[in-house]
């Protein structure tokens, strides 16, 4: 069956129809999905009532999967579970539980795993249970953001490197959420501030809530620049919100978009989203 393509936003994102992930995916169809991912940065596939094994099989077509770090309540598995439901009992987790606090960091604009030496290529988020209101995921194009910068700013930042760390973004929620041992396990890493897509040569800003400062600059000055660039990248014209339906699978390019979760009533409603994360292939800069 031929695939269909509909833009999600004038500047980025595409919905692809004619795909069924409950069975093997034809390599030719996958080639088209992969090309659309490189081109549009966010890909939506609706009506995919998949289980964990089917999600893993499809995700692995993009490359090897990351396992979650041990600070994540689902640590050591291929799934970064985004949910207010206890994995064993299925009961709603109280809002002040550490597992819910941990997820609050997702309310900041970020790109997945930029705190790892080799940052993630893409993430695949599968909607298993959705609240009837709230809980959208928002996306912002870092390519559009780069292209819209004035030339003098492009020249100033093109070769800069930022330091990223999970502890930095978690501390923004609650400095107690990560133990000293967990901090030591995931030390800060360096990432280029501007990345180039290896297939189409398009450049993207590479900012994230994990980015704490610019290497070689006074911390406050670097943080000010990072805040300014993040505000620029997330201006409303460069963003859209995805309103989830059960069965949606959204794939995003962590090299080219920021995303953030948005609140919902986690006492009243159930939300269960399973995220797989595909590893990148190399560091963006020597460590
Ligand atoms: C994420 O930040 O990876 C998850 C986003 C969401 O739960 O909406």
């Amino acid at each position: 069956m031929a695939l269909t393509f509909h833009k999600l936003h004038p500047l980025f994102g595409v919905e692809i129809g004619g795909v069924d992930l409950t069975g093997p995916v034809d390599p030719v169809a996958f080639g088209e999905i992969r090309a659309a991912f490189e081109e549009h940065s966010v890909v939506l596939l609706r009506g995919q009532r998949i289980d964990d094994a089917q999600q893993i099989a499809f995700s692995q077509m993009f490359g090897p999967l990351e396992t979650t770090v041990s600070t994540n309540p689902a640590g050591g598995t291929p799934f970064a579970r985004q949910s207010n439901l206890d994995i064993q009992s299925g009961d709603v987790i109280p809002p002040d539980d550490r597992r819910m606090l941990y997820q609050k960091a997702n309310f900041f604009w970020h790109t997945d795993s930029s705190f790892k030496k080799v940052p993630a290529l893409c993430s695949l988020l599968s909607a298993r249970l959705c609240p009837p209101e709230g809980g959208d995921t928002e996306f912002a194009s870092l390519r559009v953001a780069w292209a819209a910068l004035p030339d003098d700013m492009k020249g100033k930042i093109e070769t800069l490197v930022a330091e990223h760390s999970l502890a930095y973004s978690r501390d923004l929620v609650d400095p107690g959420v990560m133990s000293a041992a967990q901090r030591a396990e995931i030390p800060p890493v360096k990432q280029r501030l501007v990345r180039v897509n290896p297939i189409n040569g398009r450049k993207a800003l590479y900012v994230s809530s994990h980015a704490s400062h610019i290497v070689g600059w006074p911390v406050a000055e670097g943080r000010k620049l990072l805040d300014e660039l993040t505000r620029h990248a997330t201006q409303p014209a460069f963003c859209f919100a995805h309103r989830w339906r059960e069965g949606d699978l959204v794939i995003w390019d962590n090299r080219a978009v920021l995303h953030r979760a948005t609140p919902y009533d986690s006492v009243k409603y159930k939300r269960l989203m399973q995220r797989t994360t595909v590893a990148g292939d190399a560091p963006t800069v020597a460590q």
Side-chain angles (χ1 to χ4, degrees):
M1 185 173 156
L3 303 186
T4 58
F5 297 83
H6 295 286
K7 285 181 83 70
L8 295 171
H9 179 275
L11 299 170
F12 69 115
V14 70
E15 177 179 347
I16 304 182
V19 183
D20 175 7
L21 302 182
T22 59
V25 177
D26 165 63
V28 176
F30 181 73
E32 288 186 60
I33 296 169
R34 178 71 203 234
F37 159 80
E38 296 290 351
E39 179 60 26
H40 299 283
S41 308
V42 180
V43 174
L44 165 64
L45 307 175
R46 289 217 194 257
Q48 308 299 327
R49 301 277 177 172
I50 50 174
D51 61 22
D52 287 353
Q54 288 161 338
Q55 181 168 346
I56 287 177
F58 179 63
S59 303
Q60 283 175 332
M61 295 183 84
F62 286 85
L65 302 189
E66 291 188 353
T67 47
T68 47
V69 291
S70 70
T71 48
N72 189 305
T77 78
F79 287 105
R81 185 179 153 97
Q82 313 295 325
S83 184
N84 62 334
L85 304 178
D86 182 90
I87 197 161
Q88 307 295 347
S89 66
D91 294 341
V92 164
I93 302 170
D96 55 356
D97 186 285
R98 184 185 162 273
R99 289 168 290 177
M100 294 306 287
L101 277 184
Y102 191 87
Q103 290 181 63
K104 273 195 175 169
N106 288 343
F107 293 153
F108 299 123
W109 287 108
H110 64 285
T111 167
D112 292 326
S113 300
S114 70
F115 52 82
K116 294 184 178 174
K117 279 185 194 149
V118 177
L121 169 68
C122 63
S123 300
L124 298 93
L125 192 61
S126 160
R128 310 289 175 86
L129 284 173
C130 298
E133 55 189 348
D136 297 358
T137 305
E138 296 180 338
F139 295 95
S141 173
L142 293 168
R143 279 187 193 161
V144 172
W146 167 260
L149 282 175
D151 285 345
D152 60 339
M153 180 59 102
K154 285 182 178 165
K156 177 175 159 185
I157 68 170
E158 183 138 30
T159 56
L160 293 180
V161 170
E163 187 173 288
H164 292 230
S165 85
L166 186 63
Y168 179 71
S169 58
R170 277 1 188 214
D171 284 353
L172 297 174
V173 177
D174 175 356
V177 86
M178 275 178 78
S179 68
Q182 288 168 332
R183 286 164 198 272
E185 190 192 323
I186 321 167
V189 298
K190 294 178 192 153
Q191 304 291 359
R192 283 194 180 289
L193 194 54
V194 180
R195 297 186 68 179
V196 183
N197 179 293
I199 291 173
N200 55 33
R202 292 180 64 188
K203 290 185 179 166
L205 272 179
Y206 195 55
V207 287
S208 176
S209 59
H210 306 306
S212 63
H213 62 277
I214 301 292
V215 175
W217 283 30
V219 168
E221 201 182 322
R223 204 157 281 173
K224 190 162 163 265
L225 175 68
L226 290 167
D227 287 347
E228 186 189 330
L229 292 172
T230 304
R231 269 197 309 279
H232 164 77
T234 57
Q235 58 188 281
F238 300 170
C239 301
F240 70 85
H242 180 63
R243 168 99 285 269
W244 291 96
R245 289 188 212 154
E246 283 163 19
D248 286 355
L249 181 81
V250 173
I251 309 156
W252 63 82
D253 185 342
N254 284 304
R255 304 163 304 177
V257 293
L258 286 174
H259 65 282
R260 68 174 176 184
T262 62
Y264 61 101
D265 187 335
S266 71
V267 175
K268 194 162 161 197
Y269 301 127
K270 295 181 173 179
R271 186 175 193 260
L272 171 56
M273 320 285 285
Q274 283 285 59
R275 197 189 86 207
T276 35
T277 312
V278 178
D281 53 8
T284 64
V285 68
Q287 297 298 311

